[in-house]
Structure formats: structure tokens, C-alpha cells
Amino acid sequence: MTTSSVRQRFAGQVAIVTGAGAGIGRATATAFAREGALVYGIDIDRHAVERAAQAATCEQAKPEQTAVEQAMSATPGRFVAMIADVANPSDISTCVERVLTEAGRVDVLVNNAGINMGKRLVELEIGDWERVFDVNLRSVYLFCKATWPNFVSRHKGVIVNVSSVMGQVGGVGSPAYCSTKAAIIMLSRCLAKDGARDGIRVNSVCPGYIDTPIMERVLRETGDPVKARQAIVDKMPLGRMGAAEEVALGILFLASGDAEYISGTELTIDGAVTATQID
Ligand code: NAD
């Protein structure tokens, strides 16, 4: 795609994306940069996020493109890599302070970083429970709280939180994970109402089965990843898993002016897998 066909909905805006080193977060941060934003991509994995930032910045340098095509598809925004553990409250303060010092504001916050803990209740230790809650849920609360005053002072701000269909329908294999994802939906709704008069919109996205590194790990843990993958694909109404970029498109939509009247809701991106429980 060249810039002639790429929209620039976020030109001049500043975005924070957590978990930007891989999967959905990487695709989202890259897409924001492509559409003109200055993106601060945060990840615990230094190499992953630095690679992602470099790849986004060099997006135009595809050898098969002509010089004109390369110039036209240059990433107009910028992807700045930041290393942090979102489970650590002081890391979160440091990240937000740095963004506010360097960029002066935040327009969009995407709370995407998350881990799964595929343990049923009897195997689930208190440390597992706390880690999943700290990474998946407390980080959302803390990032929202840290960016909120800037949103309020400018009467403008958008938050998109990455939940999951597992927060809508649950699953016996990962009660901690599902609980955090359900809580993200409710937290987003509460903040949407809280922030509405201050010009702040808050929504969540609920991805289904998306083909990312986290999914690879889940499949490996079954002992037969090929069979496990086929079993998932067989139950997908659209006949395949989703791609990280397809979730990113939903996140960018909710963050954009196209969604000016959308707040306090969930966008399910799951290829219809949860559309019906009957058949
Ligand atoms: P992924 O594992 O491919 O990528 C997650 C990224 O987050 C990684 O780069 C990882 O290093 C980073 N991360 C993990 N813990 C972190 C921490 N403590 N601090 C900072 N960064 C951290 O995962 P994904 O599939 O892209 O998932 C992204 C989000 O989407 C997660 O919240 C996940 O729960 C959600 N989700 C994924 C799927 C799916 O099928 N892949 C489905 C529903 C929801």
C-alpha cells in the first residue's frame, strides 16, 4: 500500500501502545505510525520492541518497490521503543512522564500488553493469579490514571483496552486470564461514563483466535500444535484464525474520529466464533 491510499487519521497525534513488541500490539503501533502518529511502543522485551520500531521506521525500504513507491510509502509517523514491565507501577509512571516530557501530550492510549496463564483452578497458585492480574488488569488502571489528567486538561483523549472473547464467554482452562479480561470490559465502561464530560472516550476490543506468538505458545502447550491449530480452524465460521493486523484495524477505528460517538462499548473481532452458542 502506498501513502496515496493510506489514510493519515493520526497525523500529529501521540499514541502509547503497550505490548508493542509482538502480535496485536506490534501491528497496532506500526499501523498508528503508518497513519502519521508519533507512537511510543512499550514492551518488556527489549529486542522485540526495538526490532518492531526499526521495522516500522524502515517500512518503505522494500527492495521490490521502485524508488517512487518507496518514497510514497515512507512511514510518516514514528515508532519509539520503550522498555518497561507494565506490572511495575513505577515503570508505568516513568513511561508516561517521559512521553509527556518529550511529546507534551497523549492523544491515544492502547492498553494491549497481556499474558495468558493456562492453568485450571487446582493448579493456579496465588503468585500466578497475582501476575496475571498485575500485567493484564492493574496496568490498565494505572496507565489510564497516569494519562487521565492530560486528557482532562485538553478535553480530549481516547483509550482502547484489549480484552478478549474469553472475557465475554469464559473458559475453564484459564480462570485468572478470563477474569482479567471481563474486568477490562467493565473498567472500560465505567471510565467511559466517568470521562465523557471531559471529552474522553473509552472502549475495549475483544479478539477471538488471533494468530500471534501468544497463540503459538498456547498451541505448543497442548503437546500437538498442528492438531490443536486444526481443531481451532475447524470451529471458526470464517475458516481461519484472525491476523494481528485485523485487530489493529479495529483498534485504529475506535481511536479515530470515525468513532467520535462510540464510547463505553466492546468491539468483538472474532470471525463470528462467539456469535452463537447453540450450534
Ligand atoms: P503476544 O504474546 O504475541 O504479544 C504480547 C506482547 O506483550 C509481547 O511483545 C510481550 O513481550 C509483551 N508483554 C507481555 N508482558 C508484558 C509486560 N509485563 N510488560 C510489557 N510488555 C509485556 O500477544 P498477543 O496475542 O499479541 O496479545 C495481545 C493482547 O491481545 C493481550 O492482551 C491478549 O490477552 C489479547 N488477546 C489475544 C488473543 C489471541 O488470540 N492472540 C485473543 C484475545 C485477546
PDB file of all heavy atoms in Angstrom, residues 58-73:
ATOM      1  N   CYS A  58      11.522   1.507   8.888  1.00  0.00           N
ATOM      2  CA  CYS A  58      12.109   1.152   7.582  1.00  0.00           C
ATOM      3  C   CYS A  58      11.071   0.560   6.642  1.00  0.00           C
ATOM      4  O   CYS A  58      11.428  -0.066   5.656  1.00  0.00           O
ATOM      5  CB  CYS A  58      13.225   0.126   7.752  1.00  0.00           C
ATOM      6  SG  CYS A  58      14.568   0.729   8.748  1.00  0.00           S
ATOM      7  N   GLU A  59       9.788   0.719   6.986  1.00  0.00           N
ATOM      8  CA  GLU A  59       8.747   0.056   6.207  1.00  0.00           C
ATOM      9  C   GLU A  59       8.858   0.330   4.714  1.00  0.00           C
ATOM     10  O   GLU A  59       8.536  -0.491   3.888  1.00  0.00           O
ATOM     11  CB  GLU A  59       7.369   0.521   6.696  1.00  0.00           C
ATOM     12  CG  GLU A  59       6.389  -0.597   6.818  1.00  0.00           C
ATOM     13  CD  GLU A  59       5.030  -0.107   7.238  1.00  0.00           C
ATOM     14  OE1 GLU A  59       4.687   1.032   6.914  1.00  0.00           O
ATOM     15  OE2 GLU A  59       4.322  -0.867   7.882  1.00  0.00           O
ATOM     16  N   GLN A  60       9.345   1.533   4.391  1.00  0.00           N
ATOM     17  CA  GLN A  60       9.375   1.932   2.986  1.00  0.00           C
ATOM     18  C   GLN A  60      10.465   1.229   2.188  1.00  0.00           C
ATOM     19  O   GLN A  60      10.401   1.182   0.976  1.00  0.00           O
ATOM     20  CB  GLN A  60       9.534   3.450   2.869  1.00  0.00           C
ATOM     21  CG  GLN A  60      10.912   4.002   3.202  1.00  0.00           C
ATOM     22  CD  GLN A  60      11.071   4.270   4.683  1.00  0.00           C
ATOM     23  OE1 GLN A  60      10.467   3.592   5.502  1.00  0.00           O
ATOM     24  NE2 GLN A  60      11.880   5.231   5.037  1.00  0.00           N
ATOM     25  N   ALA A  61      11.474   0.672   2.890  1.00  0.00           N
ATOM     26  CA  ALA A  61      12.637   0.164   2.181  1.00  0.00           C
ATOM     27  C   ALA A  61      12.440  -1.266   1.685  1.00  0.00           C
ATOM     28  O   ALA A  61      13.164  -2.169   2.050  1.00  0.00           O
ATOM     29  CB  ALA A  61      13.858   0.248   3.085  1.00  0.00           C
ATOM     30  N   LYS A  62      11.417  -1.479   0.880  1.00  0.00           N
ATOM     31  CA  LYS A  62      11.198  -2.817   0.318  1.00  0.00           C
ATOM     32  C   LYS A  62      11.897  -2.883  -1.038  1.00  0.00           C
ATOM     33  O   LYS A  62      11.624  -2.084  -1.926  1.00  0.00           O
ATOM     34  CB  LYS A  62       9.702  -3.077   0.164  1.00  0.00           C
ATOM     35  CG  LYS A  62       8.953  -3.097   1.493  1.00  0.00           C
ATOM     36  CD  LYS A  62       7.587  -3.749   1.344  1.00  0.00           C
ATOM     37  CE  LYS A  62       6.826  -3.712   2.646  1.00  0.00           C
ATOM     38  NZ  LYS A  62       6.048  -2.482   2.832  1.00  0.00           N
ATOM     39  N   PRO A  63      12.827  -3.861  -1.193  1.00  0.00           N
ATOM     40  CA  PRO A  63      13.637  -3.879  -2.403  1.00  0.00           C
ATOM     41  C   PRO A  63      12.817  -4.021  -3.683  1.00  0.00           C
ATOM     42  O   PRO A  63      13.227  -3.531  -4.739  1.00  0.00           O
ATOM     43  CB  PRO A  63      14.544  -5.100  -2.199  1.00  0.00           C
ATOM     44  CG  PRO A  63      14.076  -5.794  -0.973  1.00  0.00           C
ATOM     45  CD  PRO A  63      13.132  -4.913  -0.258  1.00  0.00           C
ATOM     46  N   GLU A  64      11.640  -4.681  -3.601  1.00  0.00           N
ATOM     47  CA  GLU A  64      10.874  -4.887  -4.826  1.00  0.00           C
ATOM     48  C   GLU A  64      10.154  -3.619  -5.289  1.00  0.00           C
ATOM     49  O   GLU A  64       9.645  -3.552  -6.395  1.00  0.00           O
ATOM     50  CB  GLU A  64       9.869  -6.049  -4.662  1.00  0.00           C
ATOM     51  CG  GLU A  64       8.675  -5.796  -3.753  1.00  0.00           C
ATOM     52  CD  GLU A  64       8.982  -6.022  -2.267  1.00  0.00           C
ATOM     53  OE1 GLU A  64      10.165  -6.171  -1.911  1.00  0.00           O
ATOM     54  OE2 GLU A  64       8.015  -6.025  -1.484  1.00  0.00           O
ATOM     55  N   GLN A  65      10.115  -2.586  -4.425  1.00  0.00           N
ATOM     56  CA  GLN A  65       9.426  -1.358  -4.804  1.00  0.00           C
ATOM     57  C   GLN A  65      10.353  -0.457  -5.610  1.00  0.00           C
ATOM     58  O   GLN A  65      11.569  -0.464  -5.422  1.00  0.00           O
ATOM     59  CB  GLN A  65       8.974  -0.590  -3.561  1.00  0.00           C
ATOM     60  CG  GLN A  65       7.833  -1.263  -2.823  1.00  0.00           C
ATOM     61  CD  GLN A  65       7.430  -0.456  -1.598  1.00  0.00           C
ATOM     62  OE1 GLN A  65       8.286   0.066  -0.896  1.00  0.00           O
ATOM     63  NE2 GLN A  65       6.143  -0.349  -1.371  1.00  0.00           N
ATOM     64  N   THR A  66       9.751   0.328  -6.478  1.00  0.00           N
ATOM     65  CA  THR A  66      10.542   1.323  -7.193  1.00  0.00           C
ATOM     66  C   THR A  66      10.878   2.454  -6.223  1.00  0.00           C
ATOM     67  O   THR A  66      10.272   2.560  -5.154  1.00  0.00           O
ATOM     68  CB  THR A  66       9.743   1.923  -8.358  1.00  0.00           C
ATOM     69  OG1 THR A  66       8.637   2.639  -7.797  1.00  0.00           O
ATOM     70  CG2 THR A  66       9.245   0.853  -9.309  1.00  0.00           C
ATOM     71  N   ALA A  67      11.809   3.314  -6.612  1.00  0.00           N
ATOM     72  CA  ALA A  67      12.207   4.426  -5.729  1.00  0.00           C
ATOM     73  C   ALA A  67      10.999   5.308  -5.417  1.00  0.00           C
ATOM     74  O   ALA A  67      10.830   5.784  -4.293  1.00  0.00           O
ATOM     75  CB  ALA A  67      13.310   5.233  -6.399  1.00  0.00           C
ATOM     76  N   VAL A  68      10.150   5.505  -6.433  1.00  0.00           N
ATOM     77  CA  VAL A  68       8.972   6.361  -6.222  1.00  0.00           C
ATOM     78  C   VAL A  68       8.027   5.699  -5.219  1.00  0.00           C
ATOM     79  O   VAL A  68       7.546   6.328  -4.272  1.00  0.00           O
ATOM     80  CB  VAL A  68       8.239   6.622  -7.564  1.00  0.00           C
ATOM     81  CG1 VAL A  68       6.906   7.324  -7.328  1.00  0.00           C
ATOM     82  CG2 VAL A  68       9.115   7.451  -8.469  1.00  0.00           C
ATOM     83  N   GLU A  69       7.805   4.380  -5.395  1.00  0.00           N
ATOM     84  CA  GLU A  69       6.926   3.663  -4.467  1.00  0.00           C
ATOM     85  C   GLU A  69       7.485   3.718  -3.048  1.00  0.00           C
ATOM     86  O   GLU A  69       6.764   3.896  -2.084  1.00  0.00           O
ATOM     87  CB  GLU A  69       6.758   2.203  -4.899  1.00  0.00           C
ATOM     88  CG  GLU A  69       5.788   2.023  -6.043  1.00  0.00           C
ATOM     89  CD  GLU A  69       5.797   0.598  -6.590  1.00  0.00           C
ATOM     90  OE1 GLU A  69       6.801  -0.128  -6.386  1.00  0.00           O
ATOM     91  OE2 GLU A  69       4.809   0.216  -7.219  1.00  0.00           O
ATOM     92  N   GLN A  70       8.817   3.566  -2.940  1.00  0.00           N
ATOM     93  CA  GLN A  70       9.437   3.610  -1.611  1.00  0.00           C
ATOM     94  C   GLN A  70       9.220   4.972  -0.967  1.00  0.00           C
ATOM     95  O   GLN A  70       8.851   5.070   0.195  1.00  0.00           O
ATOM     96  CB  GLN A  70      10.941   3.327  -1.714  1.00  0.00           C
ATOM     97  CG  GLN A  70      11.232   1.869  -1.984  1.00  0.00           C
ATOM     98  CD  GLN A  70      12.720   1.558  -1.934  1.00  0.00           C
ATOM     99  OE1 GLN A  70      13.503   2.345  -1.422  1.00  0.00           O
ATOM    100  NE2 GLN A  70      13.102   0.423  -2.477  1.00  0.00           N
ATOM    101  N   ALA A  71       9.392   6.020  -1.746  1.00  0.00           N
ATOM    102  CA  ALA A  71       9.217   7.368  -1.199  1.00  0.00           C
ATOM    103  C   ALA A  71       7.763   7.587  -0.786  1.00  0.00           C
ATOM    104  O   ALA A  71       7.481   8.180   0.249  1.00  0.00           O
ATOM    105  CB  ALA A  71       9.623   8.406  -2.229  1.00  0.00           C
ATOM    106  N   MET A  72       6.843   7.049  -1.602  1.00  0.00           N
ATOM    107  CA  MET A  72       5.415   7.269  -1.337  1.00  0.00           C
ATOM    108  C   MET A  72       4.938   6.503  -0.103  1.00  0.00           C
ATOM    109  O   MET A  72       3.984   6.895   0.545  1.00  0.00           O
ATOM    110  CB  MET A  72       4.579   6.810  -2.535  1.00  0.00           C
ATOM    111  CG  MET A  72       4.942   7.534  -3.780  1.00  0.00           C
ATOM    112  SD  MET A  72       3.766   8.625  -4.509  1.00  0.00           S
ATOM    113  CE  MET A  72       2.196   8.102  -4.133  1.00  0.00           C
ATOM    114  N   SER A  73       5.595   5.357   0.196  1.00  0.00           N
ATOM    115  CA  SER A  73       5.090   4.545   1.304  1.00  0.00           C
ATOM    116  C   SER A  73       5.900   4.748   2.590  1.00  0.00           C
ATOM    117  O   SER A  73       5.774   4.004   3.529  1.00  0.00           O
ATOM    118  CB  SER A  73       5.092   3.061   0.923  1.00  0.00           C
ATOM    119  OG  SER A  73       6.417   2.624   0.724  1.00  0.00           O
TER     120      SER A  73
END
